[in-house]
Amino acid sequence: MSNTVEIIKNLEPELKSHELKWFENHPRFCHMFHIPDEPYLKLLGVWVLLLRTIPFEEGEDTTWFREDALISGLDCHGYPDKYEKLGSYAFVDRHFQSHKEITIKSVEEKLLSMSACGDRFRMTVLYFLGTVIRGRGRYNAPFDPFILRMANNMEVYKTFSWGRLTFDDAIRSINHMMKNLKGKAKKNVNFPEFILPLEMLAFECIPTLNAQFREHVDGCMSKCLRMCKWRFQSNNMKSFLLDDLYDALAETNVCV
């Protein structure tokens, strides 16, 4: 996510002030622009939850995972009627030969090549949603068709239930991933969805993990979410050791 934000902030020529403020003043997306930059994801807390506490039998309820909305601040209300058919490909068809062949890489290249204009701002929002909210994990992967259609209706960007969308995407990917893992950890597991709330969830819910592995961010605004107010402690490693997490947990059964 930090790479996407840096590209947006450093576009040449720069975004006009009102365009940048669209992101900075957006009731949900604004937090993405001042969340602490973490060089590496710390996903072992996610694995602890996935392998030990979440029911993954088909039809079982996993709604407690909606706490990710409290962490991310994204709206989690109901979808609008026929939301899957919202928008059209008119905007992207104007800039690309075929919407079926659009990738994250091609959108980034188009964005960086555009001069300052209204379409460039729309392309910027499209790039943000396609890399942060509904990324594909690989830059040469097909761009999400729902996000491509949404680019034709900027007003929907402000009111759509992005929290519910990212939640549903995450649960779907988790179910698929856990069926493939069959209870065993594997190398190079790809999780392309909006992972940040899940990354923080175990540390937010279990006080002993939060105390040992998280630290407060100085200078954050009072209206900020917890994902902006706290960051992982630096340990000169890409991740925490699983043994360290288990040692911190010990026999605790206290969650908040």
Side-chain angles (χ1 to χ4, degrees):
M1 185 176 71
S2 59
N3 182 58
T4 296
V5 172
E6 283 303 306
I7 287 176
I8 292 174
K9 286 184 175 180
N10 294 301
L11 285 173
E12 294 183 2
E14 297 178 354
L15 286 177
K16 296 178 182 178
S17 59
H18 73 275
E19 293 174 335
L20 189 56
K21 285 186 180 299
W22 187 91
F23 289 101
E24 294 176 342
N25 295 335
H26 190 285
R28 304 302 174 221
F29 298 155
C30 62
H31 302 291
M32 312 294 182
F33 279 73
H34 49 77
I35 186 173
D37 181 24
E38 304 278 4
Y40 302 107
L41 291 172
K42 303 290 195 300
L43 298 179
L44 281 180
V46 179
W47 288 113
V48 169
L49 292 178
L50 294 184
L51 296 175
R52 289 175 173 269
T53 64
I54 300 177
F56 282 99
E57 294 299 321
E58 241 177 90
E60 289 194 35
D61 185 20
T62 55
T63 53
W64 66 268
F65 227 135
R66 287 186 182 273
E67 294 208 10
D68 69 345
L70 299 176
I71 297 173
S72 69
L74 296 174
D75 281 324
C76 207
H77 52 72
Y79 293 125
D81 292 339
K82 300 179 180 179
Y83 79 95
E84 293 175 327
K85 296 182 179 180
L86 282 174
S88 75
Y89 293 114
F91 172 73
V92 293
D93 282 344
R94 194 161 69 243
H95 290 279
F96 300 93
Q97 290 185 347
S98 170
H99 61 257
K100 295 181 180 180
E101 298 177 1
I102 298 174
T103 64
I104 292 175
K105 182 179 180 181
S106 64
V107 171
E108 181 178 302
E109 290 174 347
K110 173 64 70 172
L111 173 61
L112 295 175
S113 70
M114 296 176 76
S115 57
C117 62
D119 272 9
R120 189 184 70 156
F121 173 61
R122 194 183 293 259
M123 191 70 69
T124 305
V125 179
L126 175 67
Y127 177 68
F128 173 81
L129 290 177
T131 54
V132 174
I133 298 298
R134 214 172 202 186
R136 291 296 198 181
R138 303 188 316 276
Y139 262 42
N140 60 349
F143 209 93
D144 182 76
F146 175 69
I147 300 297
L148 290 177
R149 292 198 313 274
M150 291 282 277
N152 222 48
N153 190 337
M154 291 291 290
E155 286 304 310
V156 177
Y157 281 144
K158 290 186 177 181
T159 59
F160 188 75
S161 182
W162 298 112
R164 179 169 180 179
L165 185 74
T166 56
F167 170 79
D168 288 343
D169 284 348
I171 292 299
R172 184 166 49 250
S173 290
I174 288 171
N175 278 320
H176 175 75
M177 179 173 60
M178 295 305 294
K179 287 176 182 178
N180 289 336
L181 290 177
K182 297 179 180 179
K184 297 181 180 179
K186 296 181 181 179
K187 292 183 178 180
N188 302 321
V189 176
N190 184 34
F191 194 99
E193 313 302 344
F194 184 60
I195 191 67
L196 291 182
L198 309 188
E199 177 193 18
M200 302 171 190
L201 182 60
F203 299 89
E204 287 292 309
C205 295
I206 305 173
T208 54
L209 291 184
N210 187 67
Q212 185 161 331
F213 297 102
R214 303 271 282 168
E215 61 187 14
H216 193 266
V217 176
D218 294 331
C220 55
M221 295 180 287
S222 59
K223 67 176 182 179
C224 281
L225 303 167
R226 287 189 64 82
M227 73 174 186
C228 303
K229 294 180 178 179
W230 292 81
R231 68 184 305 155
F232 289 104
Q233 295 178 9
S234 176
N235 63 352
N236 298 316
M237 298 175 64
K238 290 185 177 181
S239 184
F240 301 120
L241 297 177
L242 189 58
D243 286 344
D244 290 342
L245 290 182
Y246 285 145
D247 288 344
L249 285 171
E251 301 296 324
T252 185
N253 58 6
V254 177
C255 295
V256 294

